[in-house]
Every structure is written in structure tokens, then in C-alpha cells.
Amino acid sequence: MRLYKTDAIVLSDSELGDQDKIITLLSDQYGKIRAVAKGARRLKSRFAPAVQMPSYVNAVLYRSQRIEVDTFNECKINSPFLGIRNDLVRLSYGYYLVELIMKFIRGAETPPFLFDLVLKMLFLLETTPEKSLPVLMRSFELKMLTILGYRPYLAGCVDCHRRIEKSRQVYFSGYEGGILCSSCSRKRVGKLVSYEAIRWMKFFANTPLKKLANMRAGEKIEKELKVIPESYIPHRLGEDVLSYDFIETVQDLEKDGDLEKIID
Amino acid sequence: MYSVKSIDKLIKEFSNLPGIGEKSAQRMAFFISRTSKEYAKRLIEAIREVMEKVKYCSICGSVTQTDPCPICQDKTRDTSIICVVEEPWDIFVFEKAGKFKGLYHVLGGAISPTKGMNPQDLNIRGLMQRVRTNRIREVILATDPNTDGQATALYIAKLLKKRGIRVTRLGMGLPVGGDLEFADEDTLSHALNGRRTM
């Protein structure tokens, strides 16, 4: 039984009874935490404004030896990320980011640097021009996968380990965990991607997020790079990331198009 | 282990209710076992009546005994304003306050992509149809003041603004009876933006 203090990012909430909420947090020192915010469903609750996804908070929590869920004692907002919460496009990326962390981090242990990466990404998500958000998100995904030990194999063919030559066709397989040369892809399933797209992947994995804040890779490359969220990540997780579709839905809405089709 | 089959059955049914755990279900079941037959009959009758008579309004999506609901049928209400709420019980709160004289529209939840609730799962299509076929002057978005509520409001606002309709959101700011020193950044900025001349 003890009180402890930690910086944390609010990942999600679920209702508990008539007045309380269970909040899932990613903390810098204690990994993923679940804690009860008493009265957080009430309009006048002192916790309600602080426990909104994806706020960055400083929380004082009480850990009981008897139950697995902690209890909020205090919660101060470091940054509410209003720029994300008040913009539909940024919010759609925020939901996706939070779901990635929720699904990849199962227990209380968080790998080093992950908290800092998520926090940096949230600050950039608030300020980066909208057009650069897909590039920023691809870079975040690759960095997160690297930290978690799931980085796709891009040095050569994942099967025969031969280097991929520029003139040859390259395939990317989420199932196999990296790129395949044209002869190996006959035996395995892979999606044809350009040599350039692979070079961009390597660049995104190794370049600091901050430097990508105003960058675009071009429509064709950005489309090809969707193999990471659409194929690679679901294969590593063994399930889909539900909020990825919401990014696409919001983008369709932004592009206008047929309103009836959008809500169908 | 000693058990009474009928009580166990009732505990199991009660524990399916939202927010009711096994302990609460047990308390409720034992209360029923001790209560008068008249009360039990009234309870059974009330549940049966809800099951038989209550339905969803085909216009606004609220719970009602008549279709359309009394609010949608009421000729004295302002039909040019629609207040969009997440759940049917939000209408009861507005009606209790007695300040809103327009119509309602129930979405049936809020956008929450991480929980698998997308715009397609809400009654947004019905709202767009009402806006298209009726002379709607204003749509008030009264979704919950949290992240999911805000996502829902932003999404619907974008759809409606494309149709040139005035879209407003319920005022968010300091609660009545609260202390200013406990106000957070978000609440205070909303309160400042919504300040009024005295």
C-alpha cells in the first residue's frame, strides 16, 4: 500500500458504475497502469478534465496490495493537447497512436524510450502541418516497432538474405516481416513496392521525428508506405488496429466526395 | 456447495444488468426473495410493459410509447432547431431543465474508434436526412464534453457545414458552484471564449 507520483499519458477510459472511470495510462516509470478515477463521470469532478485521452498528466496514485487497479489521489494536467482534441484530422491520428500503444504494450513493463517517443509524437501531432502527418506517423510506427524489437527487415530479402538491387522488383510482406526479392516472393505472399519506398522506410526509421515535421514523400510513396499499418502491424499484433479506418474516413471527409457514401 | 436454484437464476439475470456485479446481484435477488408478492408483481409488470410498449421513435431515435414520439409530434415546438444527443436519456435531462423547445436527434453513442465505434455505427444518416428534408436553421451538438464527444461533434459539424447549416456546440465552462482555483486549462479557455457582457 503506497502513494506514488508519475508523469503519464492518458490512453483510454472505461465507465465504472454510475460515477467512476477506469483510466489506462502509459507512465514514464511504471509502464502501463490502470487506475480508478473516482467521480470522473460527474460534471464537477476534479479528475474529469485531466483524464481525457491523450492528455499528458502528473498523477499521484495509490497502489493497493489487494487489487490490481490503482486509485487516483491527485491528477494535474501538464499538457491537455487541445490542438489534437479540437481538430478532427489530428484527433484521428491521436486515436490511432493510442490504440497502437494499448495493443503493443500488454503488461506493466514499458521498454526504455517508448514513453519519450510517444510524448514527442503527441507534441508534434499538435503542431505539424496536416499534409506531413502521414509521413510523421509512418516514422513513429517504424521507431516504435524498433524499440519493441519488431523492426521490419529491410537490409535485404528476409528469406534468402540477398541484397535488393535497385533494378529488381521488391515485395513487402507483413507476414514474413520485411522485404522479399522477386524470386522469393513467388513462394511467399508479398505486395509489390518500389525500391524508393524501401529507402524512405529506412530514412523514416533513422531520422528524428522533429526533422520530418514539414516533410512529404509524395503521394505515390505515401500510398506504398501504407503496407506498414495495413499489413505489417496487424501481422505483428495478430489483430487489426480498429482506429486506422477512422483516419481514412476523416480523410475522405476532408477530400469532400459524396457525403451520403461517407456515412453509409 | 449449498445453493437455491431459483435464487441463482435470478442472481445470474441481475448480474447481466449494466454496472451490476455479482455481489449487488446477490443483494437484489435476496431482497426480491424477502419482498411482498405485490411488489414483485409490480416489478414484473413494469418490465413487461417496457418490453411490450416502449420502442424507438422513427424520426429522432428516442425511446417512446408512440411512434413518432410526443416531442416530434408536438406542433408547438420549434422544428427548425435540432439538438443532437448521444443517448435517449440525455433528452430527459434537457426536458427536466425545460429550457429547450426545439427537436432532438439521438445518435445512439459517440465516435470511439479504439472501441470500434465509427461514424457508420451512429444514427448520423438519419440526422442528414432530417436536415435535407426539413427546414433546419440550427443544429446544436450536445455530445458529452469528453474526447469521444468532441470527436463526434467535430465530425458532424464538418458534414453539416458542407450543407451550409448553422452548427453550435453546448457551452463548456465553469460549473455552477465550483471554485475558480480548481479550473483546468481546457475548462478555463472554454469559459473565456464563451464570456458574456454584463
Side-chain angles (χ1 to χ4, degrees), chain B residues 63-86:
Chain B
V63 285
T64 173
Q65 287 195 206
T66 56
D67 189 17
C69 70
I71 295 174
C72 289
Q73 285 189 61
D74 190 346
K75 301 282 180 216
T76 63
R77 297 190 81 108
D78 184 350
T79 55
S80 66
I81 303 179
I82 295 180
C83 178
V84 178
V85 294
E86 287 181 18

Side-chain angles (χ1 to χ4, degrees), chain A residues 44 85 95 253-254 264, chain B residues 125 148 158 162 176 186:
Chain A
K44 286 182 191 175
R85 277 158 54 188
Y95 274 119
L253 184 64
E254 292 290 315
D264 254 342
Chain B
R125 193 177 177 76
D148 290 345
K158 256 200 179 141
K162 285 179 186 224
V176 177
D186 194 7

Side-chain angles (χ1 to χ4, degrees), chain A residues 13-14 21 43-44 49 52-54 77-78 80 82 85-89 91 95 98-99 242-243 246 249-250 253-254 256 259-260 262-264, chain B residues 19 111-116 118-120 124-125 128 132 145-148 150-151 154-155 158-159 162-163 175-178 184-187 189:
Chain A
D13 63 44
S14 56
K21 275 185 176 181
L43 278 179
K44 286 182 191 175
Q52 299 299 318
M53 186 286 282
I77 304 173
N78 292 336
L82 294 181
R85 277 158 54 188
N86 292 329
D87 182 310
L88 192 60
V89 175
L91 188 54
Y95 274 119
V98 156
E99 194 181 346
L242 300 172
S243 42
F246 187 56
T249 307
V250 171
L253 184 64
E254 292 290 315
D256 197 15
L259 287 181
E260 302 308 313
I262 288 164
I263 53 170
D264 254 342
Chain B
I111 293 172
S112 186
T114 51
K115 292 169 189 156
N118 284 303
Q120 299 88 332
I124 297 175
R125 193 177 177 76
M128 297 306 286
R132 204 174 42 226
N146 54 32
T147 308
D148 290 345
Q150 180 70 355
L154 289 169
Y155 185 86
K158 256 200 179 141
L159 276 176
K162 285 179 186 224
R163 295 203 174 273
V176 177
D184 64 285
E185 208 176 304
D186 194 7
T187 309
S189 72

Side-chain angles (χ1 to χ4, degrees), chain A residues 190-231:
Chain A
K191 196 176 177 200
L192 185 65
V193 289
S194 65
Y195 184 80
E196 277 302 298
I198 301 300
R199 281 186 59 188
W200 276 101
M201 274 189 210
K202 288 180 189 168
F203 176 71
F204 288 157
N206 300 322
T207 309
L209 280 175
K210 217 172 164 181
K211 288 193 176 172
L212 302 168
N214 285 307
M215 194 167 276
R216 285 212 70 180
E219 212 169 309
K220 187 181 164 280
I221 298 288
E222 284 172 17
K223 209 173 167 183
E224 285 185 88
L225 293 177
K226 284 183 180 178
V227 288
I228 302 167
E230 289 174 4
S231 169

Side-chain angles (χ1 to χ4, degrees), chain A residues 124-143:
Chain A
L124 285 169
L125 204 51
E126 216 178 12
T127 52
T128 300
E130 244 173 53
K131 285 184 174 174
S132 298
L133 291 178
V135 160
L136 195 70
M137 189 47 83
R138 292 302 86 84
S139 177
F140 170 79
E141 287 162 346
L142 287 162
K143 286 182 172 61

Side-chain angles (χ1 to χ4, degrees), chain B:
Chain B
M1 199 178 78
Y2 180 72
S3 70
V4 180
K5 220 175 166 186
S6 308
I7 298 266
D8 284 351
K9 207 170 148 187
L10 194 57
I11 292 171
K12 201 179 158 214
E13 292 308 323
F14 278 140
S15 60
N16 285 334
L17 295 172
I20 304 292
E22 208 177 300
K23 278 280 164 204
S24 303
Q26 206 175 43
R27 268 199 299 275
M28 288 159 80
F30 279 108
F31 172 78
I32 298 286
S33 73
R34 282 197 304 263
T35 195
S36 65
K37 281 196 173 161
E38 285 70 37
Y39 174 74
K41 267 185 193 166
R42 283 205 305 275
L43 183 65
I44 292 164
E45 193 46 45
I47 293 173
R48 185 182 294 142
E49 205 174 305
V50 168
M51 295 314 293
E52 285 170 2
K53 293 183 181 169
V54 174
K55 48 194 145 197
Y56 290 97
C57 173
S58 56
I59 298 173
C60 69
S62 175
V63 285
T64 173
Q65 287 195 206
T66 56
D67 189 17
C69 70
I71 295 174
C72 289
Q73 285 189 61
D74 190 346
K75 301 282 180 216
T76 63
R77 297 190 81 108
D78 184 350
T79 55
S80 66
I81 303 179
I82 295 180
C83 178
V84 178
V85 294
E86 287 181 18
E87 301 290 352
W89 49 82
D90 295 328
I91 294 179
F92 299 149
V93 182
F94 274 100
E95 286 301 293
K96 203 174 158 192
K99 298 283 179 196
F100 180 67
K101 296 294 171 203
L103 302 176
Y104 296 98
H105 187 87
V106 181
L107 294 171
I111 293 172
S112 186
T114 51
K115 292 169 189 156
M117 277 294 270
N118 284 303
Q120 299 88 332
D121 303 312
L122 304 176
N123 187 16
I124 297 175
R125 193 177 177 76
L127 175 68
M128 297 306 286
Q129 252 164 10
R130 287 178 79 182
V131 165
R132 204 174 42 226
T133 50
N134 301 296
R135 277 194 187 163
I136 305 298
R137 190 164 43 87
E138 182 181 350
V139 172
I140 304 169
L141 298 171
T143 49
D144 286 345
N146 54 32
T147 308
D148 290 345
Q150 180 70 355
T152 313
L154 289 169
Y155 185 86
I156 296 174
K158 256 200 179 141
L159 276 176
L160 291 170
K161 276 181 185 167
K162 285 179 186 224
R163 295 203 174 273
I165 290 163
R166 183 173 182 236
V167 184
T168 53
R169 178 104 164 95
L170 276 192
M172 281 184 277
L174 299 169
V176 177
D179 276 15
L180 195 66
E181 64 173 305
F182 294 113
D184 64 285
E185 208 176 304
D186 194 7
T187 309
L188 210 54
S189 72
H190 279 300
L192 269 172
N193 289 337
R195 69 188 186 277
R196 287 180 308 175
T197 314
M198 289 181 76

